[in-house]
Amino acid sequence: MPHSISPETDNQNTGTVEETMADAPVNNDDGQDVDNDVTMEETNALPVPIKGEDKMDVKLEDIFDSDNSDDEFPSWAPDGHVPATATNPEVMRTFYQRLFPWRYLFQWLNHSPTPTNDFGHREFAFTLQNDIYSRYNSFPTADLLRKDVLRLLPSRFEIGPMYTTNPRDRKTLRNSSAFKPLAKELCFDIDLTDYDDIRTCCNKANICNRCWQFITMAIKVVDVALREDFGFKHIMWVYSGRRGAHAWVCDKKARTMDDQKRRSIAGYLEVIRGGAQSGKKVNVWRPLHPHLSRSLKILAPHFQEDVLEVQDPWSSPERAEHLLSLLPDKALNDSLRKKWDSSPGRASTSKWADIDSLARSGGGSKNLDTKALLDAKQDIVLEYTYPRLDIEVSKKLNHLLKSPFVVHPGTGRVCVPIDTRKLEDFDPLGVPTVQGLLEEIDSWRPDGNSDGDGNGNGGGEDGSEDKAKNLQDWEKTSLRPYVEYFRSFVLALMKDERDPKIKREREESQAMEF
């Protein structure tokens, strides 16, 4: 029967476990090992919902990301019996056991190949059957995290902050105020449902490659601002699995920021304000801040191609009326309305061009303020292209966010990292699904005749069959390029963490903390 491991026992187990752990399953590991690091109140049953004293007066919607699942992904049965959906426990067991990149997740959160408090004091929250959730789980090593996940088979898990002490031991502290979050990546969340008032191809949880361009625009704008304006270097974007993207800013100086600094950066990037039914959503100072001027240059081509041409946002009279409400001159608006009423079905590209052509001809207005018109047009471009951030995700150090590489329970898609060097090529509908990955493993052959990732990584005529047999399961599938990108990101992060200056900052901060 599983048993709880004391903090003293934990410390004895943190020496070299991760250095020898492989992502592939080990013999006889069924997730019920007696060395399992049990963090629940009850060890032989599913955890119960958190009692009031554990909630720390934080609303659930404030601490979890908002990309909720909707309709279940269609079932697929490789043998005609077991549907390979993300809600099937055996499917999730196979995925977590054979495909999830535990080693690199550990190194990413730990910032070192050997265990530290960066990982050991990190909170993990599990979403279990019947929407039961369990917070304040923590693990000294990735192997123990992996074993508990295989035991509980969560549909997904979230990552929280690193605390002053092991989150499991928070109730043993004499002074409860001593338990507080110390560090976590600065995170951003972009969801296409926030674009429903301007995208015309899809709505709610539905997406396509046309409206995904709004996410592409957002990533470009936010990423360059974080790098050029704040000097951050280690920024990882992750597909949410359905309709959005998350940014994890992993630099040491970002992880250790308090809530006030996080709110300041979030406020710096927030431009779109107001709900779907509100009027003008952009109100910015003139002259424009350099960040907005740069953003307009990035967004202008997308506005012309992806918004005007593809989305055709003002095709209906109602939507065209909203455009007119954003223009500053009543006489010009009346002239435009008359022109558009006489030309039903006029394309948005033509309507946008009509603004300038009528303005140049006078447009019925003798006192047209061209500067105000130019400002209004810039604001319109921003309203239809600028990132719409779920700003609450970025403001709080104790917010939890879905882990990379979990499976979205509604779509079956893996939450893979997005390589920003190939941002335009990213296809959210083409990312690996748990269904497809299991098929790829089953069809993979070491002779290279059936290679899941399409890159010929099986053994061949050159006698590399032994090498092929040593491949880990994720290397045999289309998950491979995403894991390799994640690995390169993690290695670069750890390299910078080993820098003497950053190491000294770590030691000084730990001295102050404890």
Side-chain angles (χ1 to χ4, degrees):
M1 180 177 73
H3 62 276
S4 296
I5 297 177
S6 67
E8 291 77 10
T9 307
D10 288 350
N11 291 337
Q12 294 172 4
N13 291 339
T14 59
T16 58
V17 173
E18 177 56 28
E19 293 179 352
T20 59
M21 189 199 77
D23 292 333
V26 295
N27 291 335
N28 300 322
D29 184 1
D30 60 358
Q32 302 291 338
D33 195 294
V34 293
D35 290 330
N36 193 6
D37 185 16
V38 179
T39 60
M40 311 300 177
E41 294 293 337
E42 302 167 5
T43 60
N44 295 320
L46 289 177
V48 297
I50 301 170
K51 297 179 181 179
E53 61 184 5
D54 283 345
K55 291 185 180 178
M56 299 179 67
D57 298 324
V58 179
K59 294 180 180 179
L60 185 62
E61 60 266 25
D62 290 339
I63 58 173
F64 287 91
D65 68 276
S66 58
D67 188 29
N68 300 317
S69 60
D70 296 306
D71 300 325
E72 185 176 299
F73 196 84
S75 297
W76 166 83
D79 58 2
H81 299 290
V82 181
T85 67
T87 57
N88 182 287
E90 289 309 309
V91 169
M92 295 312 299
R93 183 188 302 277
T94 301
F95 176 78
Y96 284 131
Q97 194 170 46
R98 302 183 65 179
L99 293 169
F100 193 92
W102 295 108
R103 176 191 299 274
Y104 305 126
L105 182 86
F106 168 81
Q107 294 176 346
W108 170 50
L109 298 175
N110 187 66
H111 315 111
S112 169
T114 54
T116 70
N117 285 343
D118 282 13
F119 187 85
H121 289 183
R122 175 79 70 156
E123 176 188 2
F124 294 88
F126 298 142
T127 302
L128 304 168
Q129 293 92 334
N130 300 319
D131 289 329
I132 294 174
Y133 65 93
S134 173
R135 288 194 60 189
Y136 304 116
N137 303 289
S138 58
F139 308 89
T141 68
D143 193 41
L144 292 174
L145 167 62
R146 176 177 176 271
K147 288 178 180 179
D148 224 25
V149 168
L150 287 172
R151 178 176 69 89
L152 296 168
L153 298 178
S155 60
R156 70 180 197 181
F157 60 87
E158 282 78 20
I159 297 171
M162 186 265 284
Y163 284 90
T164 48
T165 190
N166 188 321
R168 292 172 301 143
D169 300 334
R170 67 196 181 283
K171 294 182 181 179
T172 65
L173 298 175
R174 293 181 180 179
N175 182 6
S176 60
S177 63
F179 179 69
K180 59 182 180 181
L182 287 179
K184 188 180 76 73
E185 295 75 12
L186 173 64
C187 296
F188 296 91
D189 182 10
I190 308 168
D191 195 315
L192 275 174
T193 53
D194 293 324
Y195 292 80
D196 278 357
D197 62 314
I198 60 174
R199 60 173 178 157
T200 59
C201 51
C202 305
N203 63 3
K204 297 183 179 179
N206 302 307
I207 71 165
C208 67
N209 285 301
R210 290 177 291 175
C211 55
W212 182 257
Q213 293 308 309
F214 288 114
I215 302 295
T216 299
M217 301 176 214
I219 292 176
K220 287 182 178 181
V221 168
V222 174
D223 193 81
V224 72
L226 292 172
R227 295 181 190 277
E228 295 187 5
D229 300 345
F230 296 98
F232 296 129
K233 179 180 177 182
H234 302 284
I235 305 168
M236 180 172 64
W237 290 90
V238 180
Y239 174 46
S240 70
R242 169 162 290 199
R243 58 178 183 260
H246 302 151
W248 297 76
V249 186
C250 305
D251 302 60
K252 173 74 172 180
K253 63 180 180 179
R255 302 196 308 267
T256 55
M257 289 192 305
D258 59 22
D259 285 354
Q260 182 178 355
K261 292 177 181 177
R262 291 168 191 263
R263 285 194 298 269
S264 297
I265 294 180
Y268 177 90
L269 293 171
E270 187 181 26
V271 171
I272 307 296
R273 294 181 175 89
Q277 303 303 321
S278 62
K280 195 175 189 318
K281 295 182 176 63
V282 176
N283 293 281
V284 294
W285 292 96
R286 294 305 195 288
L288 288 177
H289 188 280
H291 162 61
L292 291 179
S293 297
R294 177 187 60 214
S295 298
L296 280 171
K297 291 180 181 178
I298 294 172
L299 296 168
H302 287 283
F303 178 74
Q304 183 65 39
E305 299 170 14
D306 299 314
V307 176
L308 294 185
E309 296 178 12
V310 175
Q311 292 294 329
D312 195 9
W314 308 307
S315 57
S316 70
E318 296 78 15
R319 288 178 176 265
E321 197 62 35
H322 176 67
L323 169 62
L324 294 176
S325 73
L326 302 176
L327 298 175
D329 190 274
K330 184 178 183 303
L332 177 61
N333 289 355
D334 290 341
S335 298
L336 288 168
R337 188 180 293 108
K338 182 178 179 181
K339 182 178 182 66
W340 298 343
D341 286 345
S342 65
S343 305
R346 191 166 179 80
S348 295
T349 51
S350 299
K351 289 179 178 178
W352 183 249
D354 290 340
I355 298 173
D356 283 343
S357 61
L358 281 177
R360 282 194 297 267
S361 65
S365 176
K366 298 180 180 179
N367 300 307
L368 180 64
D369 186 338
T370 55
K371 175 64 168 61
L373 180 60
L374 175 61
D375 292 348
K377 290 186 64 181
Q378 289 179 336
D379 290 350
I380 291 168
V381 173
L382 291 172
E383 178 170 328
Y384 282 80
T385 58
Y386 190 87
R388 301 187 172 203
L389 304 173
D390 182 353
I391 215 67
E392 296 304 316
V393 172
S394 310
K395 290 181 177 180
K396 299 176 182 178
L397 180 61
N398 67 342
H399 195 283
L400 290 98
L401 194 62
K402 182 166 49 183
S403 170
F405 289 101
V406 298
V407 176
H408 190 289
T411 65
R413 299 185 197 123
V414 181
C415 300
V416 294
I418 300 171
D419 187 346
T420 52
R421 298 168 300 183
K422 306 172 184 176
L423 183 58
E424 301 284 355
D425 298 329
F426 183 79
D427 177 9
L429 304 179
V431 303
T433 64
V434 65
Q435 297 92 321
L437 292 171
L438 296 186
E439 286 183 323
E440 290 172 22
I441 290 178
D442 289 341
S443 64
W444 187 86
R445 296 292 181 270
D447 58 9
N449 290 331
S450 180
D451 188 351
D453 65 9
N455 293 321
N457 290 299
E461 297 178 356
D462 58 355
S464 59
E465 189 167 325
D466 290 339
K467 181 180 178 181
K469 290 180 180 179
N470 291 328
L471 290 176
Q472 297 185 58
D473 282 335
W474 59 261
E475 294 181 277
K476 305 171 185 175
T477 72
S478 55
L479 197 62
R480 178 172 184 164
Y482 302 101
V483 177
E484 289 179 339
Y485 174 77
F486 184 48
R487 176 174 59 190
S488 65
F489 177 88
V490 171
L491 290 175
L493 177 62
M494 288 198 299
K495 180 180 179 182
D496 276 7
E497 293 283 330
R498 288 195 300 268
D499 180 270
K501 179 180 177 181
I502 297 177
K503 184 177 181 181
R504 185 167 59 252
E505 290 174 355
R506 176 199 296 270
E507 292 171 350
E508 290 173 353
S509 65
Q510 288 179 341
M512 289 187 291
E513 292 159 8
F514 303 104

